[in-house]
Amino acid sequence: MIIAANFKTNHTRESTANYLEALNLFLDAYPTHCDVRVYPAASSLLRADLYPHVKLGAQNFYPAVNGAYTGETGAQQLDEFGIKNVLTGHSERRIILKETQDFIAKKYAFARSNNWEIIYCIGEPKDVRDNGFKAVAEYLWAEFDGIDTDYEKLSVAYEPIWAIGTGISAQTEEIAEVLDMLKAELKSVPLLYGGSVNAENLRQIVSLKSCGGALIGNAALDAANFCKLIQIAQNK
Ligand code: PGA
């Protein structure tokens, strides 16, 4: 079970360090079978080996070791922190930062060539959801264009765009329908759900037979709350 916190553009370097310290202490006191991951902002990355119970990851990277890519972070910069896992394909990067499927596929291939663990995010907008499951399925499969899913360090996060940050999670039946469809094709790839996950809905979500974890934004910003979510996943 993967339980991952996506900080997005939240937390400073100092508050990230305090958070990770608290989380690592908690996991030391209450060992978990969950694979706990935290994705801080690029400016708040810390050495991954300082927090042995947590996998630190990068929310974003440029598909190059280094070079002339103003404002971007390459593999050399992530290596310095011992970062070996990344998010790719998040809808905020697809929509706000205008990342195309072609560019996302390049990033994915680069992450794979570095042997990084990848949480690859997919999710449909509201207007597609309103057109029914067939439309959702078509939309989601198109987000696999150029993505070689035959990779043992891949997890896929289904995050309906209309459920992200809105406080309105998808219904458990809607999540189950999509995760079951993905499972039929992706077999052993762990499947996560993301989109307004919180302490009230997590237990039901992680109990779904095709669900292998959750990618959590808002509800994971507070360390104590994230610890609570880990416990819920642990005890499901
Ligand atoms: P949320 O974000 O939990 O705040 O909806 C999830 C995500 O975007 O990964």
Side-chain angles (χ1 to χ4, degrees):
M1 179 77 50
I2 298 169
I3 300 295
N6 177 8
F7 281 8
K8 309 188 179 185
T9 314
N10 297 297
H11 277 300
T12 61
R13 189 175 191 77
E14 190 182 354
S15 67
T16 299
N18 292 339
Y19 181 110
L20 290 168
E21 190 72 42
L23 177 59
N24 197 61
L25 276 174
F26 171 82
L27 294 172
D28 203 47
Y30 302 97
T32 178
H33 59 68
C34 294
D35 172 347
V36 178
R37 304 184 188 185
V38 175
Y39 298 84
S43 61
S44 308
L45 284 180
L46 293 149
R47 280 215 52 92
D49 56 3
L50 292 175
Y51 311 99
H53 300 303
V54 183
K55 277 187 194 164
L56 268 192
Q59 294 172 24
N60 184 40
F61 58 95
Y62 194 82
V65 174
N66 53 30
Y69 308 103
T70 301
E72 295 293 318
T73 307
Q76 190 176 38
Q77 286 76 41
L78 295 187
D79 276 350
E80 188 180 21
F81 293 95
I83 301 295
K84 297 192 185 313
N85 84 82
V86 294
L87 296 182
T88 313
H90 194 283
S91 60
E92 284 153 13
R93 296 210 59 87
R94 291 180 190 263
I95 296 167
I96 305 169
L97 282 307
K98 308 274 184 281
E99 287 191 6
T100 61
Q101 186 60 34
D102 190 45
F103 182 59
I104 292 165
K106 280 198 180 75
K107 291 175 71 173
Y108 179 87
F110 182 77
R112 201 170 178 272
S113 71
N114 280 288
N115 210 26
W116 291 339
E117 286 183 305
I118 302 170
I119 295 182
Y120 183 69
C121 306
I122 57 167
E124 83 286 357
K126 181 80 173 72
D127 57 324
V128 172
R129 171 53 70 175
D130 289 344
N131 287 333
F133 181 68
K134 194 164 170 284
V136 171
E138 260 167 43
Y139 189 94
L140 296 179
W141 288 124
E143 293 193 318
F144 284 100
D145 279 357
I147 304 295
D148 181 356
T149 57
D150 185 15
Y151 179 46
E152 73 283 1
K153 293 189 175 175
L154 167 65
S155 308
V156 168
Y158 168 54
E159 300 199 299
I161 296 168
W162 45 273
I164 295 180
T166 57
I168 305 160
S169 162
Q171 300 294 310
T172 358
E173 303 74 47
E174 292 171 320
I175 301 170
E177 199 176 24
V178 169
L179 295 187
D180 289 348
M181 171 193 82
L182 295 171
K183 191 91 218 159
E185 195 67 35
L186 301 175
K187 312 274 193 265
S188 60
V189 174
L191 303 175
L192 318 187
Y193 169 76
S196 297
V197 169
N198 57 40
E200 281 71 54
N201 59 26
L202 180 64
R203 190 187 313 274
Q204 250 197 328
I205 292 168
V206 292
S207 298
L208 294 172
K209 75 172 184 319
S210 301
C211 185
L215 178 55
I216 308 161
N218 275 326
L221 288 178
D222 175 74
N225 209 34
F226 189 50
C227 292
K228 203 158 104 190
L229 296 172
I230 294 165
Q231 275 188 316
I232 292 170
Q234 166 81 11
N235 297 329
K236 70 120 188 173

